[in-house]
Amino acid sequence: MEKESESRRNSGRGEFLSFFLGGEEFAFSLREVKEIVEMLEITPVPKAENFVAGLINLRGAIVPVIFLRKRLGLSEVEPTKDTVIIIVEKEKRLVGLIVDRIGEVLRFAKEEITSLPPVFESQIDLAYCQGIAKREEHQVPLINLEKILTVS
């Protein structure tokens, strides 16, 4: 009975992994995260898009890696000890996303997630966002992984 009430309380809530690029916090669905790894040696791929860092060998699996800063139109910075690669799975494919540092798991109710205000929809830096999660003073852009991983 207690499990049922807990399940009911959590229905309608989404879990998101937050991360930072510079001083800005972003998040995406925790369901798509497979693991977080420290920076590994990245093999460059000739003639790849400028946001593609290259390939890593993750326990025998070859995984493409994206500079998330570049993909979002932010300036490039040197990796630090906090820089990590978030391994996500989309359509049964693994992809690594380089972020400046990891945040925490955030839980937002459906009512706390809104679409982008029209004034921001055309902003280049928010083109890959699917909405904003907000609670009191805390507002976090939610990244649309499908758009991030699609080369147009």
Side-chain angles (χ1 to χ4, degrees):
M1 188 72 146
E2 189 172 317
K3 282 186 180 180
E4 184 180 328
S5 66
E6 183 179 332
S7 173
R8 214 178 294 136
R9 273 196 314 265
N10 289 333
S11 68
R13 292 188 85 71
E15 291 187 319
F16 300 86
L17 177 65
S18 75
F19 58 90
F20 291 83
L21 298 172
E24 296 295 318
E25 185 177 25
F26 299 88
F28 49 70
S29 175
L30 188 60
R31 288 181 306 204
E32 297 166 315
V33 176
K34 293 315 256 180
E35 65 183 293
I36 300 166
V37 297
E38 294 180 357
M39 285 296 292
L40 300 171
E41 183 177 334
I42 299 173
T43 303
V45 176
K47 298 185 181 180
E49 298 281 346
N50 74 336
F51 59 84
V52 175
L55 304 169
I56 59 171
N57 183 334
L58 186 65
R59 294 180 301 281
I62 303 303
V63 179
V65 179
I66 292 173
F67 288 114
L68 197 49
R69 280 179 149 276
K70 283 185 177 182
R71 185 65 168 147
L72 294 175
L74 301 171
S75 61
E76 191 176 350
V77 297
E78 288 295 315
T80 69
K81 64 178 178 53
D82 294 326
T83 304
V84 296
I85 302 172
I86 301 172
I87 306 297
V88 297
E89 184 175 17
K90 201 71 173 157
E91 297 176 7
K92 299 185 181 188
R93 292 183 327 161
L94 296 177
V95 177
L97 304 171
I98 299 173
V99 301
D100 295 350
R101 70 182 166 96
I102 221 58
E104 59 187 320
V105 174
L106 303 172
R107 290 170 183 83
F108 292 104
K110 285 182 182 177
E111 310 79 59
E112 295 173 309
I113 299 172
T114 63
S115 57
L116 293 172
V119 71
F120 292 118
E121 288 178 350
S122 64
Q123 300 278 334
I124 294 171
D125 58 352
L126 293 178
Y128 299 106
C129 291
Q130 63 187 20
I132 302 283
K134 59 183 181 175
R135 182 183 307 134
E136 297 168 16
E137 298 298 317
H138 198 83
Q139 296 183 27
V140 181
L142 301 177
I143 299 296
N144 182 329
L145 278 180
E146 195 168 321
K147 283 186 180 179
I148 290 290
L149 301 177
T150 302
V151 180
S152 52

